[in-house]
Amino acid sequence: MILPIFLIFSLLSSTSNAAVQDFCVADLTGPDTPTGYVCKKPAAVTVDDFVFSGLGAGGNTSNIIKAAVTPAFADQFAGVNGLGISLARLDLAVGGVVPMHTHPGGSEVLIVISGAICAGFISSSANKVYFKSLKKGDIMVFPQGLLHFQINAGKTPALAFVSFSSERPGLQILDFALFANDLPSEIVEKTTFLDDAQVKKLKGVLGGTG
């Protein structure tokens, strides 16, 4: 009888603790710890902490992937800290691509604002691929942690906005993880079944060594 009462009390206690503060605006001048940023003192919080204007301008797509992602995560937008939400802007030039990547910390929802985007993800259980060409107004969800991609599927630049179920969803791009590091080429070759020339070419393109 005591154990169920204790569990109920613990649940109620943790719930009330979570609701003690209305928000936890990140103190970006403080340390970035494994559990995130500490909260700003309430007296130092202003309305500007809850407003972010960085998604109004297009990002620079003059790069190897012809794409730009402008984030509004806790590191840029202190007001979302602790709320489990964030946003980003995606600009894709003609021929632009966001290569296969994953967000280990959150799920993603994408809405196309203009242009056409081919987007998809791969399930972890059966490696089943789900992809579709999206047009203006279409929305697609990408479950947390699954490999996914976006490609400009049209002849004009494409714009999309994405939301995440985390204020810091994280990002790992598969191509860069494999070829933009100092892992010896022979190990990459054994784990990817690519030959030496292919691995060294990709390392050269993406800035890897070894």
Side-chain angles (χ1 to χ4, degrees):
M1 181 66 181
I2 295 176
L3 182 58
I5 293 174
F6 175 78
L7 290 174
I8 293 171
F9 178 81
S10 298
L11 179 61
L12 291 174
S13 176
S14 67
T15 302
S16 69
N17 285 339
V20 167
Q21 294 179 217
D22 292 330
F23 46 77
C24 177
V25 173
D27 182 358
L28 299 180
T29 65
D32 182 6
T33 71
T35 56
Y37 292 104
V38 297
C39 306
K40 260 188 181 183
K41 293 181 178 179
V45 174
T46 72
V47 67
D48 290 335
D49 289 313
F50 302 103
V51 177
F52 184 78
S53 302
L55 302 186
N60 182 10
T61 58
S62 299
N63 51 59
I64 190 172
I65 61 174
K66 299 181 181 179
V69 176
T70 306
F73 301 160
D75 304 84
Q76 298 83 25
F77 188 11
V80 301
N81 188 54
L83 298 182
I85 55 172
S86 60
L87 292 165
R89 173 184 175 131
L90 171 60
D91 290 281
L92 289 167
V94 176
V97 55
V98 181
M100 214 52 97
H101 64 285
T102 179
H103 302 290
S107 297
E108 173 183 346
V109 177
L110 175 146
I111 179 170
V112 180
I113 304 301
S114 62
I117 297 176
C118 177
F121 64 89
I122 303 172
S123 73
S124 64
S125 55
N127 289 320
K128 182 173 174 58
V129 181
Y130 301 87
F131 74 98
K132 190 174 182 68
S133 184
L134 309 174
K135 60 184 185 301
K136 179 179 178 180
D138 286 343
I139 297 173
M140 186 169 185
V141 64
F142 306 91
Q144 180 175 340
L146 297 187
L147 286 168
H148 59 286
F149 64 89
Q150 291 96 19
I151 302 171
N152 186 333
K155 297 181 179 179
T156 61
L159 169 64
F161 287 97
V162 295
S163 65
F164 297 93
S165 62
S166 169
E167 65 270 26
R168 302 180 84 180
L171 170 67
Q172 186 172 42
I173 298 177
L174 183 60
D175 293 345
F176 289 89
L178 287 172
F179 306 111
N181 56 47
D182 60 356
L183 188 65
S185 293
E186 56 267 29
I187 295 179
V188 179
E189 291 158 21
K190 288 183 181 297
T191 57
T192 62
F193 306 106
L194 297 173
D195 63 38
D196 185 65
Q198 290 172 313
V199 169
K200 288 182 177 176
K201 177 182 178 180
L202 289 167
K203 277 181 171 281
V205 171
L206 298 177
T209 60

